[in-house]
Structures are given as structure tokens and as C-alpha cells.
């Protein structure tokens, strides 16, 4: 049976089993296979020469190690230039033997049935064969992604076995990330752009306790979590800068209205400052925090509905809690507003923008 997808395999210092693996892909109907030598050591040259000698295979080379993200992007670019008219998409495969041929064929089949979806081969991290470090790391990452990136629960955020249709590949070429964070960003962008994601259970295979992985636990984890948390960090900075705008506007207007009665002066200064700071906050959140450049006139009204609701909730909750617990409003308000701050982030990300 001929396959209508092309396997893409980024490889750094693979062993000779990769040769047999590629041969098995070809024997099972894949007409083309793209392998990327991501700056492997000279001792591995024979592996790539053997693969490149197969008529169905192409080996793209990096003179130095540029990272998995760059290897994938170069392979995607080559595919788009040479093969996108004749095939329906690509299947990315790790070179360390973790992805069984059976699972690759499953993704090829599903991609044929679902040409609009990003297909993920997901592992079972409750499997006792999974190393403790990998089990904990993946479970923490998927919880953090669910909270900070759109509320979508993804079972395996670091899977390298993915089916990507033609319509999604062009955007993959310009995504941020050169190493392992690139695969995380692919999921973030898919969620942000409402790309349907399908998860397919696959075998959970860790060879030699995952000792062959090129994942750098500290450096690559920092890069991945920085990417996941970047929107929330920008949201915090946006809120702080909006507070400064509000306070500065209040002080300036109060100074201008110095001759006006104190009561009126405070009310006018507060209302005008809040209008200015909220307008500033809306623009910053739309353009920089949640990065919604397309026309969204309805988001303006949703934003101010949220602001009004947040203001009312703050006043009501502070009053109720302070009355029920006999606490001063001064101590209750910070806790209420912190909860509303996180709630507002989720609502803005999911509903407003």
C-alpha cells in the first residue's frame, strides 16, 4: 500500500538501527523519506550515507548542530518546495527508536482521514516503564499548558510523533523556536489559531532509560516554560503599566482641577483616569499580550463587560467576606483582587480575545 505522507526524521548522532528503520518505512509503502543530519559527529557519516543511497530517501545536512526545531523547519521547507503538490502532509519521527512502525502507520492513516487536523501520537505516562523524570516533567508541563494556553488538555506535550497536514506546514516555517521549544510552540500556535488537534494513543517506548535523548533538562526546560508562560508574564506587565497610566492620569487631572471641590475633583479624576488606563490596557492586551491582530470589534465590548463585572465582583466579594469573617476591607481586598486577576486572564484569553 502506497502512503500519501512523507516521514521526516531529525537525527543527531543516530546509531545504525536508523538504517533498518528507514528501510522498514519504505517497505511499508512510504515513497519518500526525509532525514536531517543535524550536525552529527563524523563517526556517524556512514549511517547517513547508507540512508542517502536509498532512492526513496533524501538527507539534508547541517554543518553544525542547530537544534531539532531548525532541523524540522528545514525539512518542512524542503517538503513544501518539492513535494506538497503530490503528498498530503508529513509525519515527524524521532530517530532514537521510540516510535514504532505500527504507530507511524496509524498516524498516516488518521492524517488521510483528517487532513485538517494536527495529529499527535501520545504516550501513557502512567506506564511503569516511563522514567520518573520524564513522567513528572510531562505531567507538570501539560497541567501548566492547560492553565496558561487556552484551557485545552493535551496528554503529551513533548511527543515527537506528529502528523502535520499540508495546510498547517506553511505556518510552521516561521514559528519561533530552534530547539525543543519549537515543538511546544507548534502546539501553542495550534491552540491559539483553533487548529483541531487529534490524539492517537501510541506505544510508550523508552530505550535504555531514555539515555540517548538530546534533551537538556535545565536549558531546554527553561526555554519551554518561558514560552508557555510568556503570555501570562506579558499580561502581568500590561496590568502593572496600566496601573501606572491610571495613577499618572489621576495625579495630572487632579492637579488640573485643583480649584474644583475635593469631592468632584476625586470623582472626575478617578473616572477619567480609569477610562484612559482601561483603553490603554485593552490595546496592549489585544496587540501584545494575546496578539490578536485581526479585526475584533466585538472584543472591545466584551472587554468592558468584563471590566464592569470584575469591578462589581470585587466590591461585592470584599463586602461579603469582610462582613462574614469580621475582617477589615483593607486586608480582604488584595486577596479578592488577586483571584479576580487570574480569573480575568482566563476570561480574556478564552472569551474576550
Amino acid at each position: 500500500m502506497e502512503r500519501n505522507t512523507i516521514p521526516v526524521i531529525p537525527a543527531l548522532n543516530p546509531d545504525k538501527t536508523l538504517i533498518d528503520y528507514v528501510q522498514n518505512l519504505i517497505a511499508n509503502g512510504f515513497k519518500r523519506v526525509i532525514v536531517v543530519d543535524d550536525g552529527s559527529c563524523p563517526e556517524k557519516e556512514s549511517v547517513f550515507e547508507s540512508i542517502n543511497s536509498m532512492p526513496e530517501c533524501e538527507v539534508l545536512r547541517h554543518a553544525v548542530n542547530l537544534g531539532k526545531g531548525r532541523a524540522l523547519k528545514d525539512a518542512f521547507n524542503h517538503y513544501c518546495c518539492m513535494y506538497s503538490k503530490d503528498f498530503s502532509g508529513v509525519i515527524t519521527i524521532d530517530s532514537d527508536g521510540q516510535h514504532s512502525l505500527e504507530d507511524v502507520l496509524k498516524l498516516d492513516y488518521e492524517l488521510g482521514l483528517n487532513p485538517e487536523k494536527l495529529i499527535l501520537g501520545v504516550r501513557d505516562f502512567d506506564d511503569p516503564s516511563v522514567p520518573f523524570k520524564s513522567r513528572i516533567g510531562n505531567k507538570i508541563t501539560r497541567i501548566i499548558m492547560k492553565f496558561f494556553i487556552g484551557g485545552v488538555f493535551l496528554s503529551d506535550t513533548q511527543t515527537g510523533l506528529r502528523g502535520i497536514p499540508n495546510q498547517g506546514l506553511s505556518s510552521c516555517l516561521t514559528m519561533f523556536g530552534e530547539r525543543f521549544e519549537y515543538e511546544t510552540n507548534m502546539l501553542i500556535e495550534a491552540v491559539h489559531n483553533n487548529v483541531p488537534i487529534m490524539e492517537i494513543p501510541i506505544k510508550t517506548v523508552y530505550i535504555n532509560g531514555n539515555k540517548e535523548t538530546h534533551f537538556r533538562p535545565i536549558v531546554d526546560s527553561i526555554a519551554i516554560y518561558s514560552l508557555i508562560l510568556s503570555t501570562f508574564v506579558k499580561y502581568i506587565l500590561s496590568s502593572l503599566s496600566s496601573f501606572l497610566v491610571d495613577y499618572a492620569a489621576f495625579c495630572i487631572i487632579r492637579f488640573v482641577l485643583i480649584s474644583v471641590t475635593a469631592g468632584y475633583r476625586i470623582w472626575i479624576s478617578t473616572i477619567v483616569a480609569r477610562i484612559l488606563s482601561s483603553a490603554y490596557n485593552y490595546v496592549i492586551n489585544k496587540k501584545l499580550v494575546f496578539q490578536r491582530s485581526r479585526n475584533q470589534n466585538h472584543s472591545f465590548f466584551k472587554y468592558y463587560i468584563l471590566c464592569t463585572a470584575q469591578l462589581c465582583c470585587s466590591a461585592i466579594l470584599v463586602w461579603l467576606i469582610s462582613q462574614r469573617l469580621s475582617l477589615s476591607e483593607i486586608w480582604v481586598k488584595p486577596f479578592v483582587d488577586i483571584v479576580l486577576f487570574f480569573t480575568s486572564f482566563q476570561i480574556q484569553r478564552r472569551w474576550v480575545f
Side-chain angles (χ1 to χ4, degrees), residues 83-285:
Y83 302 116
S84 59
K85 293 181 181 179
D86 302 316
F87 294 86
S88 61
V90 302
I91 298 178
T92 64
I93 306 171
D94 289 346
S95 64
D96 55 7
Q98 287 195 18
H99 302 140
S100 71
L101 178 62
E102 177 187 348
D103 289 330
V104 174
L105 298 179
K106 283 167 59 177
L107 260 71
D108 171 78
Y109 175 77
E110 292 295 344
L111 192 58
L113 296 178
N114 303 276
E116 78 289 353
K117 295 181 179 179
L118 172 62
I119 314 292
L120 303 180
V122 299
R123 297 160 289 183
D124 177 11
F125 289 102
D126 291 321
D127 190 303
S129 67
V130 178
F132 177 78
K133 198 165 51 175
S134 298
R135 183 187 303 123
I136 296 300
N138 275 275
K139 287 187 175 183
I140 291 174
T141 302
R142 68 191 188 189
I143 291 171
I144 293 176
M145 279 198 68
K146 184 179 187 299
F147 183 82
F148 291 103
I149 310 293
V152 177
F153 183 81
L154 299 174
S155 304
D156 188 349
T157 61
Q158 297 302 310
T159 178
L161 185 60
R162 305 180 181 199
I164 309 172
N166 283 346
Q167 65 187 52
L169 280 170
S170 57
S171 61
C172 289
L173 299 179
T174 56
M175 283 182 190
F176 172 81
E178 297 297 297
R179 297 188 178 274
F180 286 97
E181 75 277 5
Y182 174 73
E183 291 180 305
T184 301
N185 198 29
M186 188 187 298
L187 300 181
I188 293 173
E189 291 296 324
V191 172
H192 284 171
N193 294 303
N194 298 314
V195 176
I197 299 175
M198 175 184 285
E199 295 188 332
I200 304 298
I202 62 173
K203 294 178 181 178
T204 305
V205 180
Y206 281 90
I207 299 173
N208 296 325
N210 207 27
K211 291 180 180 179
E212 300 301 319
T213 181
H214 299 290
F215 185 85
R216 301 166 298 177
I218 297 177
V219 175
D220 290 324
S221 293
I222 290 174
I224 289 171
Y225 287 124
S226 296
L227 196 60
I228 295 173
L229 298 173
S230 62
T231 297
F232 185 65
V233 172
K234 287 187 287 187
Y235 175 73
I236 293 174
L237 294 176
S238 168
S239 299
L240 289 175
S241 63
S242 298
F243 165 75
L244 294 176
V245 169
D246 184 270
Y247 184 69
F250 177 86
C251 293
I252 293 171
I253 296 169
R254 177 183 174 279
F255 178 77
V256 172
L257 300 178
I258 192 67
S259 60
V260 178
T261 305
Y264 287 110
R265 182 170 69 244
I266 292 173
W267 272 100
I268 294 172
S269 300
T270 299
I271 293 171
V272 175
R274 186 54 52 89
I275 291 173
L276 292 174
S277 63
S278 63
Y280 163 84
N281 185 254
Y282 168 77
V283 173
I284 294 297
N285 284 357

Side-chain angles (χ1 to χ4, degrees), residues 285-299:
N285 284 357
K286 181 180 179 181
K287 299 293 185 181
L288 298 180
V289 177
F290 300 102
Q291 297 181 347
R292 302 297 188 259
S293 58
R294 63 183 183 276
N295 187 27
Q296 286 185 309
N297 293 329
H298 60 281
S299 67

